PDB file of all heavy atoms in Angstrom:
ATOM      1  N   GLY A  45      -8.642  13.284 -31.601  1.00  0.00           N
ATOM      2  CA  GLY A  45      -7.782  13.947 -32.568  1.00  0.00           C
ATOM      3  C   GLY A  45      -7.021  15.042 -31.861  1.00  0.00           C
ATOM      4  O   GLY A  45      -7.198  15.264 -30.663  1.00  0.00           O
ATOM      5  N   SER A  46      -6.180  15.763 -32.567  1.00  0.00           N
ATOM      6  CA  SER A  46      -5.327  16.756 -31.915  1.00  0.00           C
ATOM      7  C   SER A  46      -6.128  17.890 -31.288  1.00  0.00           C
ATOM      8  O   SER A  46      -5.687  18.509 -30.321  1.00  0.00           O
ATOM      9  CB  SER A  46      -4.325  17.325 -32.931  1.00  0.00           C
ATOM     10  OG  SER A  46      -5.027  17.927 -34.002  1.00  0.00           O
ATOM     11  N   ARG A  47      -7.335  18.203 -31.818  1.00  0.00           N
ATOM     12  CA  ARG A  47      -8.124  19.304 -31.283  1.00  0.00           C
ATOM     13  C   ARG A  47      -9.479  18.860 -30.736  1.00  0.00           C
ATOM     14  O   ARG A  47     -10.244  19.694 -30.246  1.00  0.00           O
ATOM     15  CB  ARG A  47      -8.346  20.347 -32.380  1.00  0.00           C
ATOM     16  CG  ARG A  47      -7.060  20.981 -32.887  1.00  0.00           C
ATOM     17  CD  ARG A  47      -7.368  22.025 -33.938  1.00  0.00           C
ATOM     18  NE  ARG A  47      -6.137  22.647 -34.435  1.00  0.00           N
ATOM     19  CZ  ARG A  47      -6.113  23.557 -35.390  1.00  0.00           C
ATOM     20  NH1 ARG A  47      -7.249  23.968 -35.956  1.00  0.00           N
ATOM     21  NH2 ARG A  47      -4.965  24.066 -35.785  1.00  0.00           N
ATOM     22  N   ASP A  48      -9.775  17.620 -30.862  1.00  0.00           N
ATOM     23  CA  ASP A  48     -11.107  17.135 -30.491  1.00  0.00           C
ATOM     24  C   ASP A  48     -11.074  16.532 -29.098  1.00  0.00           C
ATOM     25  O   ASP A  48     -10.443  15.507 -28.874  1.00  0.00           O
ATOM     26  CB  ASP A  48     -11.573  16.090 -31.514  1.00  0.00           C
ATOM     27  CG  ASP A  48     -12.940  15.520 -31.173  1.00  0.00           C
ATOM     28  OD1 ASP A  48     -13.676  16.179 -30.422  1.00  0.00           O
ATOM     29  OD2 ASP A  48     -13.265  14.427 -31.661  1.00  0.00           O
ATOM     30  N   ARG A  49     -11.749  17.193 -28.140  1.00  0.00           N
ATOM     31  CA  ARG A  49     -11.877  16.649 -26.797  1.00  0.00           C
ATOM     32  C   ARG A  49     -13.347  16.330 -26.562  1.00  0.00           C
ATOM     33  O   ARG A  49     -14.196  17.206 -26.672  1.00  0.00           O
ATOM     34  CB  ARG A  49     -11.383  17.643 -25.748  1.00  0.00           C
ATOM     35  CG  ARG A  49      -9.928  17.991 -25.881  1.00  0.00           C
ATOM     36  CD  ARG A  49      -9.519  18.991 -24.830  1.00  0.00           C
ATOM     37  NE  ARG A  49      -9.540  18.374 -23.503  1.00  0.00           N
ATOM     38  CZ  ARG A  49      -9.933  19.011 -22.413  1.00  0.00           C
ATOM     39  NH1 ARG A  49     -10.387  20.250 -22.493  1.00  0.00           N
ATOM     40  NH2 ARG A  49      -9.922  18.405 -21.245  1.00  0.00           N
ATOM     41  N   SER A  50     -13.652  15.089 -26.283  1.00  0.00           N
ATOM     42  CA  SER A  50     -15.047  14.682 -26.146  1.00  0.00           C
ATOM     43  C   SER A  50     -15.192  13.737 -24.962  1.00  0.00           C
ATOM     44  O   SER A  50     -14.218  13.209 -24.437  1.00  0.00           O
ATOM     45  CB  SER A  50     -15.534  14.003 -27.430  1.00  0.00           C
ATOM     46  OG  SER A  50     -14.695  12.909 -27.751  1.00  0.00           O
ATOM     47  N   GLN A  51     -16.437  13.537 -24.561  1.00  0.00           N
ATOM     48  CA  GLN A  51     -16.703  12.648 -23.439  1.00  0.00           C
ATOM     49  C   GLN A  51     -16.747  11.200 -23.895  1.00  0.00           C
ATOM     50  O   GLN A  51     -17.174  10.898 -25.000  1.00  0.00           O
ATOM     51  CB  GLN A  51     -18.032  13.010 -22.786  1.00  0.00           C
ATOM     52  CG  GLN A  51     -18.027  14.317 -22.035  1.00  0.00           C
ATOM     53  CD  GLN A  51     -19.320  14.546 -21.283  1.00  0.00           C
ATOM     54  OE1 GLN A  51     -20.313  13.882 -21.526  1.00  0.00           O
ATOM     55  NE2 GLN A  51     -19.308  15.480 -20.354  1.00  0.00           N
ATOM     56  N   ILE A  52     -16.278  10.319 -23.033  1.00  0.00           N
ATOM     57  CA  ILE A  52     -16.443   8.887 -23.248  1.00  0.00           C
ATOM     58  C   ILE A  52     -17.051   8.304 -21.974  1.00  0.00           C
ATOM     59  O   ILE A  52     -16.961   8.881 -20.899  1.00  0.00           O
ATOM     60  CB  ILE A  52     -15.105   8.173 -23.562  1.00  0.00           C
ATOM     61  CG1 ILE A  52     -14.114   8.341 -22.385  1.00  0.00           C
ATOM     62  CG2 ILE A  52     -14.500   8.671 -24.845  1.00  0.00           C
ATOM     63  CD1 ILE A  52     -12.891   7.476 -22.515  1.00  0.00           C
ATOM     64  N   LEU A  53     -17.667   7.167 -22.125  1.00  0.00           N
ATOM     65  CA  LEU A  53     -18.267   6.496 -20.992  1.00  0.00           C
ATOM     66  C   LEU A  53     -17.545   5.185 -20.717  1.00  0.00           C
ATOM     67  O   LEU A  53     -17.379   4.365 -21.621  1.00  0.00           O
ATOM     68  CB  LEU A  53     -19.754   6.211 -21.261  1.00  0.00           C
ATOM     69  CG  LEU A  53     -20.689   7.422 -21.332  1.00  0.00           C
ATOM     70  CD1 LEU A  53     -22.099   6.951 -21.618  1.00  0.00           C
ATOM     71  CD2 LEU A  53     -20.648   8.218 -20.034  1.00  0.00           C
ATOM     72  N   GLU A  54     -17.099   5.060 -19.494  1.00  0.00           N
ATOM     73  CA  GLU A  54     -16.590   3.773 -19.021  1.00  0.00           C
ATOM     74  C   GLU A  54     -17.718   3.121 -18.230  1.00  0.00           C
ATOM     75  O   GLU A  54     -18.341   3.761 -17.386  1.00  0.00           O
ATOM     76  CB  GLU A  54     -15.384   3.976 -18.109  1.00  0.00           C
ATOM     77  CG  GLU A  54     -14.923   2.686 -17.424  1.00  0.00           C
ATOM     78  CD  GLU A  54     -13.908   2.940 -16.329  1.00  0.00           C
ATOM     79  OE1 GLU A  54     -13.532   4.114 -16.112  1.00  0.00           O
ATOM     80  OE2 GLU A  54     -13.501   1.955 -15.683  1.00  0.00           O
ATOM     81  N   ARG A  55     -18.009   1.872 -18.530  1.00  0.00           N
ATOM     82  CA  ARG A  55     -19.012   1.154 -17.747  1.00  0.00           C
ATOM     83  C   ARG A  55     -18.267   0.367 -16.678  1.00  0.00           C
ATOM     84  O   ARG A  55     -17.427  -0.473 -16.974  1.00  0.00           O
ATOM     85  CB  ARG A  55     -19.827   0.221 -18.626  1.00  0.00           C
ATOM     86  CG  ARG A  55     -20.847  -0.574 -17.827  1.00  0.00           C
ATOM     87  CD  ARG A  55     -22.041  -0.953 -18.660  1.00  0.00           C
ATOM     88  NE  ARG A  55     -22.867   0.205 -18.957  1.00  0.00           N
ATOM     89  CZ  ARG A  55     -24.147   0.288 -18.647  1.00  0.00           C
ATOM     90  NH1 ARG A  55     -24.743  -0.694 -18.011  1.00  0.00           N
ATOM     91  NH2 ARG A  55     -24.842   1.355 -18.968  1.00  0.00           N
ATOM     92  N   ARG A  56     -18.578   0.676 -15.414  1.00  0.00           N
ATOM     93  CA  ARG A  56     -17.794   0.144 -14.299  1.00  0.00           C
ATOM     94  C   ARG A  56     -18.703  -0.543 -13.280  1.00  0.00           C
ATOM     95  O   ARG A  56     -19.738  -0.008 -12.884  1.00  0.00           O
ATOM     96  CB  ARG A  56     -17.041   1.290 -13.618  1.00  0.00           C
ATOM     97  CG  ARG A  56     -16.121   0.861 -12.493  1.00  0.00           C
ATOM     98  CD  ARG A  56     -15.514   2.072 -11.816  1.00  0.00           C
ATOM     99  NE  ARG A  56     -14.715   2.876 -12.725  1.00  0.00           N
ATOM    100  CZ  ARG A  56     -14.325   4.125 -12.473  1.00  0.00           C
ATOM    101  NH1 ARG A  56     -14.700   4.716 -11.349  1.00  0.00           N
ATOM    102  NH2 ARG A  56     -13.592   4.786 -13.340  1.00  0.00           N
ATOM    103  N   LEU A  57     -18.300  -1.738 -12.878  1.00  0.00           N
ATOM    104  CA  LEU A  57     -19.002  -2.473 -11.826  1.00  0.00           C
ATOM    105  C   LEU A  57     -18.063  -2.619 -10.641  1.00  0.00           C
ATOM    106  O   LEU A  57     -17.019  -3.279 -10.738  1.00  0.00           O
ATOM    107  CB  LEU A  57     -19.440  -3.853 -12.310  1.00  0.00           C
ATOM    108  CG  LEU A  57     -20.099  -4.750 -11.244  1.00  0.00           C
ATOM    109  CD1 LEU A  57     -21.406  -4.133 -10.753  1.00  0.00           C
ATOM    110  CD2 LEU A  57     -20.353  -6.148 -11.792  1.00  0.00           C
ATOM    111  N   ILE A  58     -18.396  -1.980  -9.513  1.00  0.00           N
ATOM    112  CA  ILE A  58     -17.605  -2.105  -8.296  1.00  0.00           C
ATOM    113  C   ILE A  58     -18.080  -3.350  -7.564  1.00  0.00           C
ATOM    114  O   ILE A  58     -19.208  -3.404  -7.088  1.00  0.00           O
ATOM    115  CB  ILE A  58     -17.753  -0.861  -7.407  1.00  0.00           C
ATOM    116  CG1 ILE A  58     -17.410   0.411  -8.194  1.00  0.00           C
ATOM    117  CG2 ILE A  58     -16.868  -0.988  -6.167  1.00  0.00           C
ATOM    118  CD1 ILE A  58     -16.019   0.422  -8.780  1.00  0.00           C
ATOM    119  N   SER A  59     -17.223  -4.347  -7.459  1.00  0.00           N
ATOM    120  CA  SER A  59     -17.582  -5.609  -6.824  1.00  0.00           C
ATOM    121  C   SER A  59     -17.305  -5.608  -5.328  1.00  0.00           C
ATOM    122  O   SER A  59     -17.931  -6.357  -4.583  1.00  0.00           O
ATOM    123  CB  SER A  59     -16.807  -6.761  -7.486  1.00  0.00           C
ATOM    124  OG  SER A  59     -17.084  -6.829  -8.865  1.00  0.00           O
ATOM    125  N   PHE A  60     -16.351  -4.768  -4.900  1.00  0.00           N
ATOM    126  CA  PHE A  60     -15.987  -4.711  -3.479  1.00  0.00           C
ATOM    127  C   PHE A  60     -15.339  -3.372  -3.194  1.00  0.00           C
ATOM    128  O   PHE A  60     -14.620  -2.828  -4.028  1.00  0.00           O
ATOM    129  CB  PHE A  60     -15.008  -5.832  -3.127  1.00  0.00           C
ATOM    130  CG  PHE A  60     -14.567  -5.824  -1.683  1.00  0.00           C
ATOM    131  CD1 PHE A  60     -15.251  -6.570  -0.740  1.00  0.00           C
ATOM    132  CD2 PHE A  60     -13.493  -5.055  -1.270  1.00  0.00           C
ATOM    133  CE1 PHE A  60     -14.868  -6.549   0.603  1.00  0.00           C
ATOM    134  CE2 PHE A  60     -13.103  -5.035   0.069  1.00  0.00           C
ATOM    135  CZ  PHE A  60     -13.795  -5.779   0.995  1.00  0.00           C
ATOM    136  N   GLU A  61     -15.582  -2.857  -2.013  1.00  0.00           N
ATOM    137  CA  GLU A  61     -14.826  -1.695  -1.565  1.00  0.00           C
ATOM    138  C   GLU A  61     -14.617  -1.747  -0.064  1.00  0.00           C
ATOM    139  O   GLU A  61     -15.429  -2.300   0.681  1.00  0.00           O
ATOM    140  CB  GLU A  61     -15.513  -0.387  -1.949  1.00  0.00           C
ATOM    141  CG  GLU A  61     -16.775  -0.081  -1.167  1.00  0.00           C
ATOM    142  CD  GLU A  61     -17.334   1.294  -1.491  1.00  0.00           C
ATOM    143  OE1 GLU A  61     -16.766   1.992  -2.352  1.00  0.00           O
ATOM    144  OE2 GLU A  61     -18.340   1.664  -0.870  1.00  0.00           O
TER     145      GLU A  61
END
Side-chain angles (χ1 to χ4, degrees):
S46 59
R47 297 182 180 178
D48 179 21
R49 298 179 69 217
S50 56
Q51 290 186 345
I52 61 170
L53 292 179
E54 172 191 358
R55 178 152 289 237
R56 183 185 299 164
L57 176 64
I58 305 302
S59 301
F60 179 92
E61 71 174 2

